[in-house]
Structures are given as C-alpha cells and as structure tokens.
Amino acid sequence: MTKIEIQNYFDNLKTVVLEYSPKLVVALVILLVGLWGSSMITKAAKKIMLKRKVELTLSNFIGNLIFWTLRVVLIVTVISKLGIETSSFVAILGAAGLAIGLSLQGSLSNFAGGILIVLFKPFKLGDTIETQGETGKVSEILLFSTKLITATNQVIYIPNAILSNGKIKNYSQLGVRRADIVLKTSYQSDFNAIKNSLIQFTSNHDGILQEPKPEVLINELSETTIVFTVKVWTKNKDFSQVNSDILEFSKSVVKL
C-alpha cells in the first residue's frame, strides 16, 4: 500500500469511528440501563403481586415472563440505536423465529405446560410431589421446567410439558396423610394383645391424629404368618417420624 492509500484508510476509519461512536455510546448506555431496569421492574412487579396476595407460584412465573419480555425489547432497541433497520431485523427475527419454533417444539410445549401448571395448580411452591419416578419438594416453577429438591438435597429439573400431561402425586395438597405400616407376626403369638398394644401406643402418640381413629387390620393369613397393617393419620410434617416410631415400637410387641 502506498502512503496515500494508508492515509485514506485511516481517514475513512476516523470518519466511521466519529460517525458511529455516539450511536455506540448511546446503545451501550441503553443496554446497561435496560439490564438494570428490567431487573428492577421485575422485582417491583413481584413485590406488587405479593402485596396483593397473588399466589407465589403465579407471581414468580409472571415475573420470569416479564423479565424475558423486557430483555427481548431491550435487544431490539439497542440494535435500532446502532443504526440497523429494525423493520428488516424484525422480519429476519420473524423468519428465524419460525425456523427456531419448528426446531424447538419441545421447548414451546414446556412453556405451554408451565402456563397450564400455573393456571390449574396441580401443585404450588413448597409442595412435595411424586412424578416421573422422582419425589421432591417444589422449589421453583420456571418458564420451561420445574425445580424439585429431593430428601437427599439433590436438584431435579423436570420439563413442564411432561408435568402438565403426566401423573402427579401431591403429598402436601390436603395437609394430612395416612401412614400404612405393614407388619407380620406368627400364629403362635397373641394377635389381640399385639393389636391392643399398638392401638394404645398410637392413641397416645402426639404426632398421630385421633380422627379418624388409628386402626390395626389383618390383611392376609399366609402359611406361616399373620400379615396386618397399622393405619394412622398424621400431618405432613410428622409423617416420617410417625412411621419410624411405630416400627420401633413394633419390635417389642411383634413376635415372628
């Protein structure tokens, strides 16, 4: 390159920089303010919904929807400030959206599933559910998946489409649960004495509800043992401890 060509190159570069620097600065400011503003608006919207006693599950879902909608608007605004024709960009975005939509049908199904979960409320935040072979407490309902925390503190993400169309067992919705503890004893034992001992124990246990009353019922008479079930009702928070206490007590009264 000659000296004149080099000089022309730097002159053109200087012109471009001077021309686009204000646009770049404005776009950068809008981006930074927009990122901060979208977070603040989302937090404010959640606070308003909580003050108006909107259910936490619904408020979080709507908050996430507001957040990502504002981010998309922000991106389009920044691109327009850079001098890119937004009409052409929107047309390209629409075409790309169609192609992406066809390739991401599963994600769109998950999004629709999330809306169905929020609307029909088969579970809410804090509920313990069993689904797809997994059991855990609902920690968060996201746009495309639901976050569960298991009893062993593992995090499981289940797609919302599967949840909205699949079988869900909700252990928390009614507030109380029945514990069915299956036990066995020999024919040589005094079953009536065992039954009376278990009824007395369950009637005096602080974690066992007395209405409906605890029951001890025979399930099966096998060749060698009597199979029976201790049925008691408890609050959800006492369920595991009640099961453990009955099993521990049964060791002293049940003979095989």
Side-chain angles (χ1 to χ4, degrees):
M1 294 180 67
T2 64
K3 186 175 181 180
I4 295 176
E5 289 175 335
I6 293 174
Q7 183 64 40
N8 289 335
Y9 173 79
F10 280 106
D11 289 342
N12 291 333
L13 180 62
K14 182 179 178 181
T15 301
V16 171
V17 170
L18 291 174
E19 182 180 350
Y20 281 96
S21 290
K23 295 181 179 179
L24 184 61
V25 171
V26 171
L28 184 59
V29 170
I30 291 174
L31 178 63
L32 295 176
V33 173
L35 291 175
W36 175 81
S38 60
S39 297
M40 294 302 295
I41 291 172
T42 302
K43 290 179 181 178
K46 287 184 177 181
K47 286 182 179 179
I48 291 172
M49 286 186 285
L50 289 175
K51 286 183 178 178
R52 295 187 177 182
K53 297 182 179 180
V54 176
E55 189 180 12
L56 186 59
T57 304
L58 180 60
S59 64
N60 284 343
F61 188 85
I62 294 176
N64 288 331
L65 190 59
I66 292 172
F67 178 80
W68 289 110
T69 300
L70 291 174
R71 287 293 170 92
V72 171
V73 173
L74 175 63
I75 291 172
V76 173
T77 303
V78 170
I79 288 174
S80 67
K81 288 301 178 182
L82 288 174
I84 301 174
E85 188 64 38
T86 54
S87 58
S88 301
F89 175 75
V90 170
I92 294 172
L93 189 63
L98 179 61
I100 293 171
L102 292 174
S103 62
L104 296 178
Q105 293 182 30
S107 296
L108 295 176
S109 297
N110 289 328
F111 178 74
I115 293 176
L116 291 175
I117 289 171
V118 171
L119 289 177
F120 294 103
K121 303 175 184 177
F123 55 82
K124 62 181 185 300
L125 296 184
D127 283 357
T128 298
I129 65 172
E130 179 182 339
T131 181
Q132 303 299 313
E134 303 290 350
T135 301
K137 181 178 288 188
V138 179
S139 172
E140 193 172 1
I141 300 175
L142 305 170
L143 292 179
F144 301 107
S145 64
T146 294
K147 179 180 177 182
L148 300 183
I149 307 294
T150 67
T152 55
N153 205 36
Q154 293 175 314
V155 179
I156 300 174
Y157 292 91
I158 300 180
N160 287 333
I162 296 176
L163 279 175
S164 63
N165 292 306
K167 179 180 178 181
I168 301 171
K169 186 181 290 186
N170 191 326
Y171 292 110
S172 303
Q173 198 167 58
L174 298 179
V176 296
R177 293 174 62 181
R178 192 180 75 185
D180 292 353
I181 298 96
V182 179
L183 301 171
K184 297 179 180 180
T185 188
S186 67
Y187 283 102
Q188 287 72 37
S189 62
D190 186 346
F191 177 74
N192 286 329
I194 294 172
K195 178 178 179 179
N196 291 333
S197 296
L198 286 168
I199 289 294
Q200 184 178 1
F201 174 79
T202 55
S203 298
N204 295 322
H205 194 291
D206 292 337
I208 297 175
L209 302 176
Q210 298 306 308
E211 188 60 42
K213 291 184 177 181
E215 296 178 302
V216 178
L217 303 174
I218 293 177
N219 291 355
E220 179 186 352
L221 298 176
S222 68
E223 293 183 1
T224 57
T225 59
I226 301 172
V227 183
F228 63 98
T229 303
V230 181
K231 298 184 177 183
V232 297
W233 289 86
T234 76
K235 293 181 179 179
N236 290 327
K237 63 183 181 65
D238 299 323
F239 182 82
S240 297
Q241 188 61 51
V242 165
N243 273 270
S244 177
D245 291 347
I246 292 176
L247 288 172
E248 184 177 351
F249 176 77
S250 68
K251 287 173 59 180
S252 62
V253 297
V254 175
K255 306 297 181 183
L256 291 175

